[in-house]
Amino acid sequence: MQAVVRKRSPCWRVSCIHSLFGVLLALAAAGVQALEALEVRQAAPGVFLFQGEIAEQDARNLGAISNLGFIVGSRCVAVIDTGGSPAVGAALRASIRSKTDLPVCYVINTHVHPDHILGNQAFIDDKPVFVGHARLPAALAARSSHYLASAERLMGEAGKGLQPVPPSRTVAVEDELDLGGRTLKLRAWPTAHTDNDLTVLDEATGTLFAGDLLFVGHLPVVDGKILGWIKVGAALAAMDVQRVVPGHGDAGDAWREAFAKQGNYLQGLVDQTRSALKAGKTLSQTVSEVGPGDATGWVLVDLFHRRNVTSAFAELEWEE
């Protein structure tokens, strides 16, 4: 099976090859072609990003469909999200080794979705602290069997033998991580995109990793509470930061505009669904009639919009 995601630079260092051996051996035994190092760009000093493909997870992209990153301090490295398979996680680890020999001390997951968390397995031998929202362990326990079955169905051999890795350190409200001369501020948010959304702010560069609290180029997907997400999105848009890394796509300097576009979609969904409920429409009628509004520039609308309407209907039908 051919697995080519993007142009990449191979990792030739002995330490990299040794650390990846276990993961690559397992992939080879399964007949899966391992990815080379992911192509990353430096968004700010010591902050490196991989931009995932905006697509469904499949046997070609192996789950490299979300944005991933790592931040280098003077003492160690923190990874933010690891991709949708051990192959992607191993390729991200190779990218880290192409930039620094410092150890990976933290692996931070922004939320439970498999395209952000199933690459954790590739970092187990580094013995990092795995970090997530306080609700992440319960969410992962409830969903892991479904995620593993879906991974095998969508990715074939590359989706077999996956091992979910829960956090060993959780964040209920706020926390700080020291990478050596560099502090990361973590914040756990109320239910929004999911019930376990966590953001990471690199104070040194003003870089905010928003996870899937911000979608760019990809239709936003509601898996938590739409009303909560509207509030959280407004709070994030008002933050005094230099740049925002979405969970999908590239916001560039227009990240406030990206939050506004996302908020307009979510609010339009709320307004239309409320009108349908007031008119006594059924779920089926509402799903058929509520449109996506201005979805210009977004893909996967046909795949996710009707699901979003269903989620909005379930949440809003019990409003007082």
Side-chain angles (χ1 to χ4, degrees):
M1 174 176 60
Q2 188 176 8
V4 178
V5 176
R6 294 181 183 274
K7 179 181 177 183
R8 310 174 185 90
S9 299
C11 174
W12 296 107
R13 300 186 184 190
V14 172
S15 61
C16 173
I17 295 172
H18 181 267
S19 299
L20 293 175
F21 180 74
V23 172
L24 299 183
L25 184 62
L27 291 170
V32 178
Q33 179 180 334
L35 304 179
E36 297 176 350
L38 297 178
E39 182 181 0
V40 297
R41 64 180 178 88
Q42 186 167 221
V47 179
F48 297 90
L49 307 177
F50 166 74
Q51 185 174 328
E53 178 184 2
I54 299 180
E56 292 185 77
Q57 185 167 345
D58 58 29
R60 178 187 58 82
N61 58 47
L62 299 184
I65 59 172
S66 61
N67 295 340
L68 316 174
F70 59 93
I71 301 172
V72 182
S74 64
R75 179 177 65 86
C76 62
V77 179
V79 179
I80 298 96
D81 287 337
T82 57
S85 70
V88 176
L92 176 62
R93 190 182 183 283
S95 300
I96 296 169
R97 286 292 152 254
S98 73
K99 302 298 181 183
T100 178
D101 290 324
L102 290 172
V104 174
C105 53
Y106 299 105
V107 171
I108 306 165
N109 291 126
T110 60
H111 63 292
V112 72
H113 287 157
D115 53 319
H116 295 261
I117 203 169
L118 288 182
N120 285 8
Q121 188 174 344
F123 291 90
I124 290 176
D125 287 346
D126 292 291
K127 295 180 172 59
V129 176
F130 289 91
V131 185
H133 192 290
R135 295 196 191 102
L136 179 57
L140 187 59
R143 299 181 177 206
S144 60
S145 60
H146 169 67
Y147 286 166
L148 297 184
S150 294
E152 185 171 342
R153 175 174 54 84
L154 294 170
M155 295 189 295
E157 291 297 327
K160 294 182 178 179
L162 273 60
Q163 177 182 345
V165 181
S168 52
R169 176 170 175 169
T170 59
V171 183
V173 182
E174 293 182 340
D175 199 356
E176 293 187 356
L177 304 178
D178 180 14
L179 307 185
R182 190 165 208 153
T183 300
L184 304 185
K185 302 196 82 168
L186 279 54
R187 181 169 177 179
W189 294 88
T191 302
H193 167 61
T194 69
D195 73 349
N196 51 88
D197 298 307
L198 185 74
T199 57
V200 182
L201 174 63
D202 174 42
E203 287 192 310
T205 63
T207 302
L208 178 72
F209 286 80
D212 279 4
L213 288 170
L214 179 60
F215 282 74
V216 178
H218 183 309
L219 186 81
V221 179
V222 182
D223 187 27
K225 292 184 177 179
I226 192 168
L227 296 177
W229 195 356
I230 291 170
K231 291 178 181 178
V232 169
L236 290 169
M239 289 182 66
D240 182 17
V241 298
Q242 294 299 309
R243 64 190 59 80
V244 174
V245 182
H248 300 268
D250 181 8
D253 294 332
W255 55 270
R256 293 189 198 277
E257 291 84 349
F259 273 115
K261 180 177 175 67
Q262 176 176 276
N264 288 340
Y265 168 72
L266 297 174
Q267 188 62 56
L269 193 55
V270 167
D271 293 343
Q272 291 184 75
T273 303
R274 280 176 172 159
S275 295
L277 286 164
K278 186 176 181 180
K281 299 292 181 65
T282 66
L283 172 59
S284 178
Q285 289 172 322
T286 304
V287 169
S288 298
E289 295 174 10
V290 171
D294 180 14
T296 304
W298 279 334
V299 299
L300 304 179
V301 176
D302 291 342
L303 180 63
F304 291 112
H305 175 67
R306 292 170 67 89
R307 300 185 197 180
N308 288 343
V309 178
T310 300
S311 295
F313 189 97
E315 178 179 341
L316 298 173
E317 69 174 330
W318 300 109
E319 277 188 314
E320 292 293 336

